[in-house]
Amino acid sequence: MVVLKKIRASTLMETLVATVLIVIVFLLASMILNTLFNNSIKNKTHDIETYLNELEYRYMNHKVELPFYGEFEKWQITIDRFVDKNQHYVEIEANNKELNKTITKQKFETNP
């Protein structure tokens, strides 16, 4: 008869320590991913930038009268004309008070 060899196994304490370490690593990873995901949602400004480009296009084709005040989702939008050192420009500004963000675009005019 063949004598079975003893196989060295880990103790219960080693198994518990390894399990706790794995759980801690997964918790840290999930917290980091959650933070990254929340930040990417808060910093998402693609929709408002697209709308501002559309308003700029409308202004260039004389479809928007100045001063313009409007809203887009939770953004307050203003378009106004300014003069600085004999240079005429139009400023398009979007304000979101919830996120405390402001997006500003300036378009210089050659013939006001």
Side-chain angles (χ1 to χ4, degrees), residues 28-78:
L28 289 174
S30 67
M31 288 171 44
I32 290 170
L33 288 175
N34 190 26
T35 303
L36 289 173
F37 182 69
N38 283 339
N39 285 341
S40 70
I41 288 176
K42 282 184 180 178
N43 293 330
K44 184 181 136 192
T45 59
H46 180 70
D47 293 342
I48 186 65
E49 288 176 358
T50 302
Y51 186 68
L52 291 179
N53 287 336
E54 179 184 339
L55 285 175
E56 181 179 354
Y57 176 80
R58 285 185 190 173
Y59 168 74
M60 289 170 50
N61 290 299
H62 308 290
K63 302 290 182 186
V64 173
E65 293 186 26
L66 299 183
F68 174 83
Y69 302 100
E71 288 185 15
F72 179 76
E73 294 175 2
K74 296 180 181 180
W75 295 84
Q76 304 294 321
I77 300 169
T78 59

Side-chain angles (χ1 to χ4, degrees), residues 45 48-49 52 75-76 78 91-97 99-105:
T45 59
I48 186 65
E49 288 176 358
L52 291 179
W75 295 84
Q76 304 294 321
T78 59
E91 184 176 85
I92 304 171
E93 183 176 86
N95 239 343
N96 189 329
K97 296 197 185 228
L99 298 177
N100 216 11
K101 278 195 153 193
T102 302
I103 299 174
T104 305
K105 296 177 83 175

